[in-house]
Amino acid sequence: MTKSNRLGTALTAVSLVAIAAGCAGPGNRVGSASMFGGKVNSGELPLATKAQMALATNNVAEAIMLAESAVEGSPQDAGFRALLGNCYLAAGRFASAEAAYRDSLSIYGSQPQVVLKLAVVQIAQGKNADARQLLAEAGAVLDPSDTGLALALAGDPQAAVTLLEPAARAVGADSRTRQNLALAY
């Protein structure tokens, strides 16, 4: 592998991790999981909380076990399924993460961060066309900075630049948006 190819692979890996980390922000708390989806078995909330804590401390194997138990006990909770997807993503189990995110979105479709994570795991699996289609369909509800970087990673840097340039020039644009534009270039 040439030095240029290694650098490109390293940048792609770093970018995927950055997107996933950005998606795991304060808006994705386990406690809010019960506010969407079907009826939640409240007895599963401690499992989901423990899974989130295990994930935060990088105990991925325990997080997966706990999240799977929470989903088993409350299968119609979109938040628990998204948490399970996060655990699978942290473990590098991209196909499992994709299934969990799809399940979450089938229960409750209005989850922009889950849509973005689904696109990220599709990119990680080489399903770039699927990721670009998903991003195009959900573009109106996604953050332009994250969407632009995901588009670049999915092999469409021109669409990424087209989306990110106005966002980077907008009043109040943050450094992350400008950084993602630089990465798209």
Side-chain angles (χ1 to χ4, degrees):
M1 186 183 280
T2 67
K3 186 175 183 178
S4 176
N5 285 344
R6 283 189 301 236
L7 178 62
T9 302
L11 286 175
T12 299
V14 167
S15 299
L16 284 171
V17 170
I19 287 176
C23 295
N28 295 328
R29 286 189 169 80
V30 175
S32 66
S34 61
M35 71 181 196
F36 52 83
K39 185 176 181 183
V40 176
N41 178 351
S42 62
E44 306 310 322
L45 286 172
L47 286 173
T49 302
K50 288 178 184 176
Q52 185 67 39
M53 289 171 41
L55 190 59
T57 60
N58 205 27
N59 188 347
V60 179
E62 182 179 349
I64 290 172
M65 180 192 68
L66 292 164
E68 285 175 340
S69 294
V71 167
E72 185 179 320
S74 192
Q76 290 304 308
D77 185 77
F80 291 170
R81 291 200 180 260
L83 172 61
L84 181 58
N86 293 345
C87 295
Y88 288 146
L89 177 60
R93 295 174 54 183
F94 301 129
S96 297
E98 180 180 14
Y101 291 142
R102 283 190 186 284
D103 289 346
S104 180
L105 290 169
S106 73
I107 296 168
Y108 186 76
S110 183
Q111 302 178 77
Q113 293 303 316
V114 175
V115 171
L116 188 61
K117 290 176 187 182
L118 175 56
V120 167
V121 297
Q122 288 174 329
I123 293 166
Q125 296 176 86
K127 298 178 180 181
N128 293 350
D130 292 343
R132 286 191 303 268
Q133 181 179 349
L134 178 66
L135 292 168
E137 290 170 358
V141 297
L142 298 176
D143 178 88
S145 181
D146 292 333
T147 304
L149 182 56
L151 283 169
L153 291 172
D156 195 352
Q158 186 55 48
V161 168
T162 300
L163 179 66
L164 287 167
E165 279 185 339
R169 288 185 172 87
V171 174
D174 62 5
S175 61
R176 186 175 59 93
T177 302
R178 292 187 296 275
Q179 177 184 3
N180 288 352
L181 176 58
L183 289 168
Y185 281 135

